[in-house]
Amino acid sequence: MEPYIIIILCFAAFAAGFIDAIVGGGGLIQTPVGLIMLPHLPVSTIIGTLKVPAFSGTSFAAFQYLKKVEMNWKLLITMMILAFPSAFLGSTLLTYVSNDFMKPFLLVVLSLLVIYTYAKKNFGQHKVKSHSTGTQLIYAVLISFVVGFYDGFIGPGTGSFLVLAFIALMGFDFLHASANAKMVNLATNFGSICLFMLKGKIIWAIAIPMACCNAFGGWIGAKLAINKGNQFIRIFFLVVVIGTLIRFAYDVFYK
C-alpha cells in the first residue's frame, strides 16, 4: 500500500474523531474516505477496519467527559451491557443482507430532525425531564437496543442519534447527552469489533495508525465541547445532522 493512502486515512481519522467527540457522526468523514481510498477491499473489511479507530477516538473522548460531567453509572452500565449484543447482532445481519432499504426512511427522519432542532431554540439547552426510575429504565433499554442495532447494521450518524435520544427521551442537555452517548457508543463499537474480528475482517496495519489519529482528534474535540458548552454543541449537532442528511440523500437518489 502506498504511504500517501495511510496519510490521507489518518487525516480523515483525526477529523472524524474530532467531530465524533462533540456530537457524533465521525463516520460521515471516515467511512467515505475509507471506501474511496481502499476500493480493492471488500466493504465489510473496510467497515470492520474503521470500527477500530472509531472505538479508539470514542474512548479518549469519553475519558475527557468523565473527568468533567456527572454520570448515572447504574443506568449507563445497563445501557452499555445491552448495546453490545445489539450492535453485534446488527453487524451479523450486515454480513448477510444489504442495508440500503433503510436509507429512504432515515432520509425522512433526518429531515424532520433538522427542522425540529433548528426551530426549537431551547432544544437540549437545559435538563428538562425528571423521569421515575422505571420510566428511565424503559427508555434506556429502548435506546440501547435500537441505536445499538443501528450502529452495527448501518453505522453513520450513530453518535448523533444517541445524543438526540438522550435529549428527547431522557431529558438531558447537549453536554450531558454527548457525554453519555460516548459511553454507549463505546459498547456498540466494541460489539461490532468483536463480530468483525471473529470474521477476520480487520486489517490492523490500517486500523492502528488511524486509531492513534482518531484518538487525538477525539481528545481535542471533547475538551473543546466541554469548554464551549451547550450552544456550541447544538450548532455542531445541526451541522453534522445536515451532513448525515446529505449523505443519505446522495445514497438514495444518485448512488
Side-chain angles (χ1 to χ4, degrees):
M1 184 178 297
E2 296 293 334
Y4 78 90
I5 294 178
I6 294 293
I7 292 171
I8 292 173
L9 289 172
C10 285
F11 272 114
F14 172 83
F18 178 81
I19 292 173
D20 203 66
I22 301 173
V23 289
L28 294 172
I29 295 175
Q30 194 166 253
T31 304
V33 173
L35 292 171
I36 291 168
M37 300 306 298
L38 303 168
H40 58 290
L41 295 177
V43 173
S44 58
T45 298
I46 296 172
I47 300 300
T49 300
L50 296 183
K51 284 292 181 182
V52 177
F55 180 82
S56 173
T58 302
S59 299
F60 273 73
F63 179 72
Q64 292 300 313
Y65 280 115
L66 289 177
K67 294 192 294 183
K68 300 290 185 179
V69 181
E70 184 180 351
M71 302 284 195
N72 181 341
W73 281 107
K74 185 177 180 180
L75 186 70
L76 198 52
I77 290 172
T78 301
M79 294 183 73
M80 293 173 72
I81 290 171
L82 294 174
F84 173 86
S86 300
F88 188 94
L89 180 61
S91 293
T92 302
L93 186 61
L94 179 60
T95 62
Y96 294 103
V97 300
S98 170
N99 59 26
D100 287 343
F101 67 92
M102 283 292 293
K103 290 174 181 175
F105 170 73
L106 291 170
L107 191 61
V108 175
V109 171
L110 288 167
S111 300
L112 295 174
L113 174 58
V114 168
I115 294 168
Y116 182 80
T117 305
Y118 179 78
K120 195 171 177 62
K121 303 298 183 183
N122 64 342
F123 180 69
Q125 297 303 302
H126 309 283
K127 287 192 173 184
V128 295
K129 292 189 177 86
S130 181
H131 295 305
S132 67
T133 303
T135 302
Q136 199 173 50
L137 183 60
I138 291 171
Y139 283 136
V141 170
L142 181 65
I143 293 169
S144 302
F145 276 126
V146 173
V147 182
F149 183 85
Y150 172 87
D151 191 24
F153 187 52
I154 299 174
T158 297
S160 300
F161 281 122
L162 279 169
V163 170
L164 171 68
F166 275 112
I167 294 172
L169 297 180
M170 307 290 276
F172 290 13
D173 59 32
F174 269 110
L175 181 61
H176 285 80
S178 294
N180 281 271
K182 287 291 146 290
M183 298 302 294
V184 178
N185 208 178
L186 271 181
T188 62
N189 280 334
F190 189 58
S192 293
I193 286 172
C194 287
L195 182 279
F196 287 120
M197 284 180 64
L198 290 173
K199 297 283 186 178
K201 298 293 185 180
I202 298 176
I203 301 176
W204 293 102
I206 298 173
I208 291 174
M210 288 186 71
C212 295
C213 294
N214 197 298
F216 185 48
W219 179 72
I220 293 175
K223 290 181 73 69
L224 187 63
I226 292 166
N227 291 334
K228 294 291 185 179
N230 284 314
Q231 185 59 32
F232 170 77
I233 300 173
R234 178 181 180 272
I235 294 170
F236 234 89
F237 179 78
L238 273 171
V239 171
V240 171
V241 171
I242 290 171
T244 310
L245 177 64
I246 293 170
R247 160 74 187 278
F248 282 127
Y250 171 79
D251 286 349
V252 170
F253 295 113
Y254 295 104
K255 211 168 185 179

